[in-house]
Amino acid sequence: MADLFGSEAPAIDAAPGDNAPLAERLRPSSLDEVIGQDHLTGEDGAIGRMVKAGKLSSMILWGPPGTGKTSIARLLADAVGLRFVALSAVFSGVADLKKAFAEARKMAGADRRTLLFVDEIHRFNRAQQDGFLPYVEDGTITLVGATTENPSFELNAALLSRAQVLILHRLDETALTRLLDRAEELEDKQLPLTDDARAALIASADGDGRFLLNQAETLFDLDLDERLDPPALAKLLQRRVAVYDKDREGHYNLISALHKSVRGSDPQAALYYLARMLVAGEEPLYLLRRLVRMASEDIGLADPSALVQCLAAKDAYDFLGSPEGELAIVQATLYLATAPKSNAAYKAQKAAFKTAKETGSLMPPQNILNAPTKLMKDIGYGAGYTYDHDVEDGFSGDDYWPEAMEPQKFYEPVGRGLEAKIAERLVYWEEQRARRRGSRDDAEGA
């Protein structure tokens, strides 16, 4: 394998030594040995078709850690006869890139093309990413980048337009089981685990094949008289920490799942995603801010107490801190998920803001303008205003819209929760307004 600073890798068939890590010794020697990515490496997959045609396009391999991105890149070079060079964006800089490009151009002159594999490519800044473009365009290199982050957010649009984005899947239970079977075959012995402990080991990997093999290697090195059960395994090994970056896609995926679970009135799923984020170390106040937003956006006046619950949870968390205060966050989440739903206030806001921008600075009718000075009274400000509390039912039915604008309807309550009663009230007021408008028209006509 190439070193991290970009030297050329040895041949694929160069077997790793006996002292090499298990994950390295189990690296596949051909694409059909890659586990869990058949949608790409199979005959009908994007990679399978390119290999069959004998021609690779530049690509970005996007997937979680331990899913085979590096192995696939090395095997691709071997499959189509390209020179394989590897760089890591964590350790490489501009000088390393220039050296790799110069060597690739020199080798291209000798009719030997280069596959440049860039691990963690999203860690290169925008200017460094732009540096790849001329060498990709003129065919000096075939770029294969690997990233655990969403390329849409982390990579330049210009680079993405010149490369296919291929998505690698998190390894499922079947794929991880096959990986353990191969490890036992290579080591010529069984893992010292009960069936339940073996299942627990697979679950602990959280889809990461490299992590699973590292854990298996630890177990192979043990000299045990009897097999471990799940509790004994848990004492011996650490569970893999969930993949979660607070400022990256994992963060946005989980908050989206939490929001949609609340909106969809599924308290069980909402609680699960809330727990996922808190366990992974998310800032509780961030979650509280999002819950406050949900209370207004997805519940609103169908249950006005939802907003009160969220603000109370914020106060409770401020008062208690972690972990005691997290129960208040749970309570608020469950309240939102089980409350009647309405986005009427949210839709009303968007519609009203849009109309406000379109209508500019129309004056309200003079009768509802304040008249703090004599001049303003003399020119008609406030003239004819009806004080609603002085009329029947506390409702005057006056027209409050600018003269150059027809009355609009922004807020339309749904038939759920408190908004069902609000809807009845609005209908009643509209009927009263129409009746009194008709009475005034009759009076003016007489």
Side-chain angles (χ1 to χ4, degrees):
M1 183 178 178
D3 68 37
L4 293 173
F5 297 94
S7 61
E8 190 168 347
I12 288 290
D13 57 3
D18 293 339
N19 293 327
L22 177 60
E24 184 65 26
R25 288 183 283 130
L26 264 181
R27 278 195 184 277
S29 58
S30 63
L31 286 168
D32 58 9
E33 291 182 6
V34 174
I35 289 177
Q37 311 302 337
D38 293 346
H39 65 292
L40 296 178
T41 59
E43 289 186 5
D44 296 329
I47 289 175
R49 291 197 302 271
M50 283 189 278
V51 169
K52 186 176 180 180
K55 186 175 181 180
L56 296 182
S57 61
S58 291
M59 66 186 76
I60 303 298
L61 301 177
W62 172 29
T67 52
K69 296 184 290 294
T70 302
S71 293
I72 288 175
R74 295 171 69 237
L75 295 169
L76 275 171
D78 187 57
V80 296
L82 296 182
R83 169 177 170 265
F84 180 78
V85 175
L87 290 172
S88 168
V90 176
F91 298 104
S92 302
V94 173
D96 301 294
L97 289 175
K98 287 181 177 179
K99 180 182 177 182
F101 296 147
E103 290 177 349
R105 181 153 284 170
K106 181 179 178 181
M107 298 302 291
D111 202 27
R112 190 176 180 204
R113 294 187 59 213
T114 298
L115 185 153
L116 178 61
F117 173 65
V118 182
D119 197 15
E120 304 283 344
I121 191 171
H122 62 276
R123 294 184 182 271
F124 277 136
N125 62 38
R126 301 286 174 172
Q128 289 170 318
Q129 290 178 30
D130 284 341
F132 289 99
L133 299 179
Y135 302 98
V136 171
E137 288 178 341
D138 67 11
T140 300
I141 62 169
T142 296
L143 175 65
V144 177
T147 179
T148 56
E149 303 299 332
N150 190 326
S152 300
F153 302 145
E154 304 297 335
L155 299 183
N156 286 1
L159 186 58
L160 285 177
S161 71
R162 292 161 175 81
Q164 291 191 54
V165 175
L166 304 181
I167 301 174
L168 281 74
H169 294 162
R170 174 183 182 275
L171 299 186
D172 61 16
E173 182 181 352
T174 300
L176 293 171
T177 299
R178 288 177 59 197
L179 205 54
L180 276 191
D181 291 342
R182 285 190 184 179
E184 290 174 330
E185 183 179 350
L186 179 67
E187 295 292 311
D188 196 24
K189 59 182 176 181
Q190 298 292 306
L191 287 165
L193 302 173
T194 65
D195 290 344
D196 287 344
R198 185 184 179 89
L201 176 65
I202 290 170
S204 75
D206 194 23
D208 187 332
R210 186 186 305 110
F211 179 88
L212 179 66
L213 291 177
N214 289 341
Q215 298 286 64
E217 186 167 24
T218 300
L219 294 170
F220 280 131
D221 290 340
L222 296 176
D223 185 16
L224 299 175
D225 295 329
E226 56 186 36
R227 296 188 299 170
L228 299 172
D229 60 11
L233 177 67
K235 288 182 180 179
L236 182 65
L237 299 178
Q238 292 289 326
R239 185 180 182 90
R240 182 178 182 274
V241 176
V243 176
Y244 186 80
D245 290 313
K246 293 183 187 179
D247 61 345
R248 298 189 183 275
E249 195 195 16
H251 162 87
Y252 295 109
N253 285 345
L254 288 183
I255 195 60
S256 176
L258 172 60
H259 195 150
K260 291 179 174 64
S261 299
V262 166
R263 180 182 295 152
S265 301
D266 189 334
Q268 316 304 341
L271 189 54
Y272 168 71
Y273 290 116
L274 177 73
R276 281 275 301 272
M277 298 184 82
L278 286 172
V279 167
E282 181 57 77
E283 174 58 50
L285 288 175
Y286 167 78
L287 290 168
L288 283 162
R289 286 193 294 273
R290 299 314 306 163
L291 291 174
V292 168
R293 170 67 186 194
M294 295 175 209
S296 293
E297 179 179 338
D298 294 295
I299 297 165
L301 291 177
D303 185 350
S305 295
L307 184 57
V308 177
Q309 284 281 334
C310 291
L311 295 174
K314 183 263 183 188
D315 288 343
Y317 181 79
D318 281 342
F319 186 53
L320 294 175
S322 290
E324 289 88 350
E326 289 167 7
L327 181 57
I329 304 176
V330 168
Q331 177 179 326
T333 301
L334 293 175
Y335 192 99
L336 298 187
T338 55
K341 303 299 186 297
S342 170
N343 70 341
Y346 174 59
K347 290 169 66 177
Q349 179 204 20
K350 293 177 69 175
F353 280 30
K354 180 175 182 291
T355 300
K357 291 176 182 177
E358 292 172 349
T359 54
S361 53
L362 294 179
M363 283 288 289
Q366 281 194 334
N367 68 308
I368 64 171
L369 297 180
N370 201 22
T373 70
K374 182 177 183 300
L375 173 62
M376 296 168 78
K377 290 179 181 177
D378 289 344
I379 62 176
Y381 279 31
Y385 171 64
T386 305
Y387 188 57
D388 288 76
H389 296 291
D390 290 342
V391 298
E392 181 185 356
D393 296 331
F395 179 73
S396 67
D398 279 354
D399 184 353
Y400 300 102
W401 293 89
E403 292 182 7
M405 183 178 176
E406 288 294 321
Q408 305 289 307
K409 182 175 287 187
F410 302 127
Y411 174 55
E412 299 189 51
V414 301
R416 296 182 290 276
L418 180 63
E419 281 201 327
K421 291 188 176 297
I422 293 175
E424 293 176 3
R425 198 177 307 147
L426 291 181
V427 169
Y428 168 77
W429 281 335
E430 187 56 39
E431 290 173 349
Q432 294 299 309
R433 186 173 287 113
R435 182 175 65 80
R436 296 184 187 191
R437 189 182 303 122
S439 298
R440 283 196 293 269
D441 290 344
D442 290 344
E444 291 173 2

